[in-house]
Amino acid sequence: MKFVDEAFITVQSGKGGNGCIGFRREKYIPRGGPDGGDGGDGGDIILVATTQKNTLYEFRHRRHIKAENGGDGKGSLKHGRNGKNLIIHLPVGTVVAHAETNEIICDLTEPNQEYVIATGGKGGLGNKHFATSTNQAPRFAQKGKEGETLAIKLELKLIADVGIIGLPNAGKSTLLKMLTAAQPKVADYPFTTLYPYVGVVYPEHAQPFSIADLPGLIEDAHKGAGLGIQFLKHIERTRILLHLIDISAIDPLDPLNSYELIVHELDAYNPALLQKQQLIVLNKLDILDAESNASVFIDHMKTTQVISISALTGIGIDELKTKLSGLVNEST
Ligand SMILES: Nc1nc2c(ncn2[C@@H]2O[C@H](COP(=O)(O)OP(=O)(O)OP(=O)(O)O)[C@@H](O)[C@H]2O)c(=O)[nH]1
Ligand SMILES: [Mg+2]
């Protein structure tokens, strides 16, 4: 299904049913008392976070969502039926805000998290409730209350422990496939990945953690170049950045330049991104000359926080898993 990470919808809870004006009419009871039943309550609109969805695509076509109205009360004290609550399943990571003011209403960060966004109108009371000593046959009942109508903006900001970033073709999707059961498309042309994928890594002796494959970044991504900025926001909610670099270049200085380009893009979009824990991973170590390029890179960077792998053949993957799992646990 197509990836959509923003949608505007209107939600409307159900109206309460009206209370009934009724009187008992039985054979030997000439003037029966009031017996109008109460109206049922209108249904609520409830948002529920689910891991089963990763797009807001359906809301392109589902713009107005309404819960059921409550039924009217009936004679013989029959209570109107309550309107059914309407549950809207949203992907984990959806931020819900007022459409006009952008004021945040709730942030669905946990699976199964619930939020009642519009409460159904109360049902009206039947005339039975209004009988008094002076008015034993009240000819009025309460009307049901209107439901609430709210225009909201849904914005999906993926949540993952680790986000894989890098230039197009660095091998990000290949790495996600190697580490998890996710099946993103892999191909030897740039911009194969058009939207983020999230997979779960199950290390042998540690807690599982989630990892997101993000579309490739290029120069001026922060200004909208390539797939650009629309995906940079998904990096905001990953705790650790895995910066993947193709080390198989002919010019050993290329990987360094590509590293700096990406760092510059992150900084230009939001400097806070650079405060995140970052792990540099050099990919395509199986290709000729990659190893010597890797040494050049490591010398220049003067850091040991670098892991060399081949996402294709599996070189270094176990070491990477252990390293990531350690970083994830440290940061919780
Ligand atoms: N030899 C070799 N090729 C690799 C390796 N990892 C990825 N590739 C190849 O590099 C090409 C790009 O891989 P992808 O995984 O699609 O790259 P990506 O970073 O997801 O690319 P975009 O989605 O376009 O940003 C594919 O042809 C892969 O088969 C590796 O470790 N070794
Ligand atoms: Mg890809």
Side-chain angles (χ1 to χ4, degrees):
M1 197 180 277
K2 257 173 97 178
F3 186 78
V4 170
D5 55 10
E6 207 177 87
F8 288 87
I9 63 172
T10 302
V11 291
Q12 187 179 2
S13 55
K15 176 186 173 306
N18 297 323
C20 165
I21 304 169
F23 297 95
R24 270 187 304 173
R25 283 179 221 287
E26 282 168 49
K27 237 179 177 174
Y28 303 104
I29 312 175
R31 270 189 287 151
D35 74 348
D38 303 342
D41 295 338
D44 299 339
I45 303 258
I46 305 171
L47 309 179
V48 178
T50 172
T51 51
Q52 304 296 309
K53 287 189 180 173
N54 69 351
T55 168
L56 298 173
Y57 181 67
E58 67 185 275
F59 301 104
R60 284 280 153 108
H61 308 288
R62 223 180 139 200
R63 304 296 277 276
H64 192 108
I65 300 176
K66 187 179 178 313
E68 204 176 50
N69 292 336
D72 292 340
K74 301 229 171 63
S76 314
L77 288 179
K78 267 202 217 115
H79 199 282
R81 162 185 54 71
N82 288 332
K84 277 203 208 91
N85 292 339
L86 194 141
I87 292 176
I88 304 178
H89 293 280
L90 295 172
V92 171
T94 305
V95 183
V96 183
H98 287 282
E100 272 161 33
T101 60
N102 253 333
E103 187 194 334
I104 291 177
I105 301 171
C106 67
D107 185 359
L108 301 171
T109 56
E110 299 292 329
N112 303 321
Q113 191 181 332
E114 284 191 20
Y115 186 83
V116 179
I117 188 136
T119 310
K122 282 286 280 169
L125 296 175
N127 67 338
K128 163 87 172 144
H129 293 270
F130 302 103
T132 60
S133 55
T134 51
N135 183 1
Q136 294 188 6
R139 299 202 156 271
F140 62 87
Q142 241 175 6
K143 286 220 176 313
K145 289 248 170 16
E146 288 298 328
E148 299 175 293
T149 303
L150 208 63
I152 56 176
K153 174 184 174 187
L154 306 176
E155 187 174 17
L156 177 56
K157 289 189 170 192
L158 284 181
I159 298 177
D161 296 309
V162 181
I164 309 175
I165 54 169
L167 289 179
N169 264 339
K172 300 180 293 299
S173 303
T174 310
L175 178 60
L176 187 76
K177 274 180 122 162
M178 181 55 104
L179 289 172
T180 74
Q183 287 295 330
K185 187 168 156 193
V186 167
D188 61 356
Y189 53 83
F191 301 119
T192 311
T193 304
L194 300 178
Y195 50 85
Y197 278 82
V198 181
V200 179
V201 183
Y202 295 91
E204 226 164 291
H205 302 291
Q207 289 295 319
F209 59 91
S210 56
I211 182 162
D213 168 23
L214 297 153
L217 294 170
I218 56 170
E219 190 165 7
D220 289 339
H222 75 278
K223 295 184 196 153
L227 295 169
I229 202 162
Q230 70 186 115
F231 294 111
L232 279 170
K233 73 177 176 201
H234 293 293
I235 302 174
E236 284 174 40
R237 304 225 281 190
T238 58
R239 282 187 288 158
I240 295 160
L241 296 181
L242 188 166
H243 188 154
L244 192 67
I245 296 169
D246 181 347
I247 198 70
S248 73
I250 294 171
D251 180 346
L253 292 179
D254 275 359
L256 277 163
N257 293 334
S258 82
Y259 171 78
E260 265 150 28
L261 186 155
I262 297 285
V263 169
H264 173 75
E265 288 308 315
L266 296 183
D267 189 31
Y269 175 69
N270 177 0
L273 292 176
L274 297 181
Q275 303 303 312
K276 286 183 194 281
Q277 174 88 252
Q278 212 188 107
L279 180 66
I280 300 171
V281 179
L282 306 178
N283 189 30
K284 310 200 185 180
L285 203 66
D286 57 292
I287 294 180
L288 198 70
D289 290 339
E291 278 194 54
S292 61
N293 286 353
S295 320
V296 173
F297 186 93
I298 291 165
D299 282 351
H300 268 82
M301 293 290 294
K302 300 185 179 54
T303 168
T304 48
Q305 277 279 71
V306 174
I307 293 185
S308 302
I309 64 162
S310 165
L312 199 64
T313 67
I315 306 170
I317 291 295
D318 285 340
E319 188 193 348
L320 176 61
K321 262 194 209 177
T322 310
K323 180 75 193 173
L324 284 176
S325 156
L327 289 176
V328 169
N329 285 323
E330 273 168 35
S331 71
T332 42

